[in-house]
């Protein structure tokens, strides 16, 4: 790892987070059997199409599958002050933001050019674990094994997370592209799912951690109230200028790039390392799966803005846009 850049003192000394899979011994914690859903989960349950099952917990839609974890995180997760949380709705750029945040924070220990960089060995979801997934699987004890600073992720709304002072990076994406992305993702396991069913669900804000607009607005208002604690990014802007996003991230996380780092091209190296083309071509992302169910390659599809034009009529687009405009009206968030 001790590259020329590191030896020359160009990179910051902080070690940053360790990749989750490098840090934990998964066998050290036995898998707990899944418990019955908590009583506290409202009996209210919605089904859209045959394939999207959600429950309502404290006013938010939670995927049936992750409901036990969400309740457990809400009740028992003990944040550390120096935790960093990547937050998002599904298919909004989570995988990308995990990679960018990890590479930025860990650049002291892992210069982006290093051949054995965790992002060249591991899927980003194995570098940055999801809170509700770990809790659902009964593997939350692994979190205690992670040294600080821990880099964690969630699709949960802010109000369901235990109070904390830790920094949060949120990414928002055009809901039309998010809907298209989710449809492609879900079709792999549910070939009968139609895009109309997903579109209809999105028009009601139904998604993991939704209503989408409430999830978005909670983080948006928090970023306005506490800009040093919550950073609100948009997928489309990161796409336009990934280097600018990397610099913003570093500044926000208290690890701004030094002049020497910038001159050495470290910002560009991080953006390139985390680009969809680079990530999808890593062996770790071409093969393998999460829990034997979700293939690593399924997280990398087109990675563009505006793919909705290939799947939606203008009427469908306008319907979803106008609902979003109405829900976000007065917030100052223009989508
Ligand atoms: N590095 C990078 N750059 C740009 N875009 C990227 C990148 N990695 C993943 N993607 C695209 O993000 C979409 C997947 O969303 P998420 O990562 O939020 O999915 S998940 O919630 O973690 O399941 C999905 O979008 P679509 O291509 O529109 O389906 C991915 O292709």
């Amino acid at each position: 790892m001790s590259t020329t850049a590191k030896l020359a003192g160009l990179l910051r000394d902080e070690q940053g987070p360790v990749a989750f899979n490098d840090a934990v011994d998964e066998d050290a914690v036995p898998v707990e059997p899944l418990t019955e859903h908590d009583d506290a989960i409202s009996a209210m349950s919605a089904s859209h199409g045959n394939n999207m099952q959600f429950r309502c917990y404290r006013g938010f839609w939670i995927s049936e599958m992750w409901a036990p974890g969400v309740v457990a995180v809400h009740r028992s997760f003990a944040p550390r002050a120096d935790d960093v949380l990547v937050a998002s709705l599904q298919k909004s750029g989570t995988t990308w933001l995990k990679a960018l945040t990890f590479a930025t924070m860990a650049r002291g220990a892992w210069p982006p050019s290093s051949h054995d960089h965790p992002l060249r060995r591991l899927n980003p979801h194995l570098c940055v674990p999801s809170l509700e997934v770990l809790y659902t699987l009964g593997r939350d004890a692994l979190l205690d094994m992670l040294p600080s600073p821990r880099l964690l992720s969630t699709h949960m709304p802010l109000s369901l997370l235990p109070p904390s002072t830790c920094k949060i990076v949120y990414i928002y994406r055009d809901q039309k592209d998010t809907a298209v992305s989710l449809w492609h993702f879900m079709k792999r396991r549910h070939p009968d799912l139609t895009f109309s069913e997903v579109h209809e669900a999105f028009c009601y804000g139904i998604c993991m951690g939704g209503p989408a607009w409430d999830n978005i607005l909670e983080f948006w208002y928090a970023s306005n109230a506490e800009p040093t604690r919550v950073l609100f990014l948009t997928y489309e802007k990161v796409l336009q200028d990934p280097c600018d996003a990397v610099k913003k991230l570093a500044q926000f996380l208290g690890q701004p790039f030094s002049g020497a780092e910038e001159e050495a091209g470290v910002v560009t190296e991080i953006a390139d390392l985390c680009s969809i083309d680079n990530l999808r071509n890593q062996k770790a992302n071409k093969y393998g799966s999460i829990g034997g169910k979700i293939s690593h390659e399924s997280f990398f599809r087109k990675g563009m803005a505006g793919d909705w034009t290939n799947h939606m009529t203008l009427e469908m687009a306008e319907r979803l846009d106008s609902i979003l405009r109405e829900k976000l009206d007065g917030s100052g968030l223009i989508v």
Side-chain angles (χ1 to χ4, degrees):
M1 184 284 294
S2 39
T3 63
T4 318
K6 174 84 177 176
L7 288 173
L10 294 180
L11 294 165
R12 294 174 59 92
D13 285 339
E14 285 95 344
Q15 293 304 293
V18 290
F20 179 67
N21 258 42
D22 282 349
V24 300
D25 174 6
E26 295 228 27
D27 295 334
V29 178
V31 182
E32 302 286 337
L34 289 188
T35 52
E36 279 303 302
H37 290 144
D38 198 283
D39 288 344
I41 298 175
S42 153
M44 188 171 149
S45 169
S47 155
H48 270 258
N50 296 321
N51 301 312
M52 298 171 74
Q53 299 285 343
F54 292 92
R55 282 171 174 260
C56 187
Y57 178 62
R58 297 191 166 228
F60 286 92
W61 295 110
I62 305 299
S63 302
E64 177 92 28
M65 195 167 47
W66 307 123
V70 167
V71 176
V73 171
H74 178 225
R75 292 186 170 171
S76 337
F77 173 57
R80 297 180 195 155
D82 57 0
D83 283 342
V84 173
L85 210 53
V86 166
S88 59
L89 289 171
Q90 272 184 309
K91 303 299 155 197
S92 295
T94 318
T95 314
W96 193 13
L97 186 59
K98 284 185 181 192
L100 288 168
T101 312
F102 179 82
T104 302
M105 287 180 73
R107 68 189 192 271
W110 296 108
S113 57
S114 54
H115 294 303
D116 52 350
H117 193 286
L119 289 169
R120 293 196 171 88
R121 297 183 277 109
L122 300 168
N123 177 270
H125 293 280
L126 299 180
C127 293
V128 184
S130 154
L131 282 176
E132 55 270 23
V133 171
L134 278 184
Y135 272 86
T136 297
L137 298 177
R139 300 182 84 77
D140 44 289
L142 296 172
L143 287 169
D144 297 332
M145 295 179 185
L146 281 178
S148 292
R150 298 181 301 186
L151 179 55
L152 310 167
S153 81
T154 188
H155 293 310
M156 289 171 59
L158 186 56
S159 58
L160 287 187
L161 296 171
S164 82
T165 53
C166 69
K167 288 193 186 260
I168 299 174
V169 188
Y170 187 79
I171 189 155
Y172 167 82
R173 186 182 189 187
D174 182 333
Q175 288 289 286
K176 301 190 293 305
D177 283 334
T178 303
V180 168
S181 183
L182 184 69
W183 178 59
H184 280 286
F185 185 74
M186 290 192 66
K187 254 196 332 161
R188 290 166 168 260
R189 296 185 67 197
H190 305 288
D192 295 340
L193 183 69
T194 65
F195 181 67
S196 300
E197 287 174 306
V198 175
H199 178 262
E200 191 65 18
F202 268 63
C203 287
Y204 287 95
I206 298 178
C207 60
M208 168 67 193
W213 33 85
D214 289 341
N215 188 304
I216 296 160
L217 283 176
E218 283 193 357
F219 289 99
W220 170 252
Y221 284 131
S223 74
N224 286 335
E226 291 181 274
T228 55
R229 192 169 92 77
V230 182
L231 177 65
F232 193 98
L233 299 174
T234 63
Y235 181 91
E236 293 74 20
K237 282 196 186 140
V238 180
L239 208 53
Q240 265 171 18
D241 192 344
C243 288
D244 182 60
V246 169
K247 284 194 237 174
K248 274 201 185 107
L249 267 175
Q251 185 76 38
F252 171 75
L253 295 166
Q255 296 177 267
F257 289 97
S258 64
E261 280 182 297
E262 292 212 28
E263 256 173 55
V266 178
V267 177
T268 312
E269 281 178 356
I270 290 177
D272 290 349
L273 172 67
C274 301
S275 72
I276 190 162
D277 286 339
N278 184 61
L279 290 181
R280 77 147 65 85
N281 282 320
Q282 302 301 322
K283 249 196 217 153
N285 295 322
K286 280 187 178 168
Y287 310 106
S289 63
I290 297 186
K293 288 188 178 147
I294 307 173
S295 67
H296 290 165
E297 51 86 25
S298 67
F299 292 103
F300 308 96
R301 199 180 62 92
K302 287 192 175 175
M304 60 179 278
D307 191 32
W308 63 266
T309 54
N310 297 312
H311 298 278
M312 271 187 218
T313 62
L314 286 179
E315 290 73 33
M316 288 168 98
E318 179 48 29
R319 180 174 166 214
L320 187 49
D321 277 345
S322 65
I323 290 168
L324 256 292
R325 274 197 302 271
E326 186 193 315
K327 297 290 182 186
L328 304 182
D329 186 38
S331 68
L333 176 59
I334 312 290
V335 296

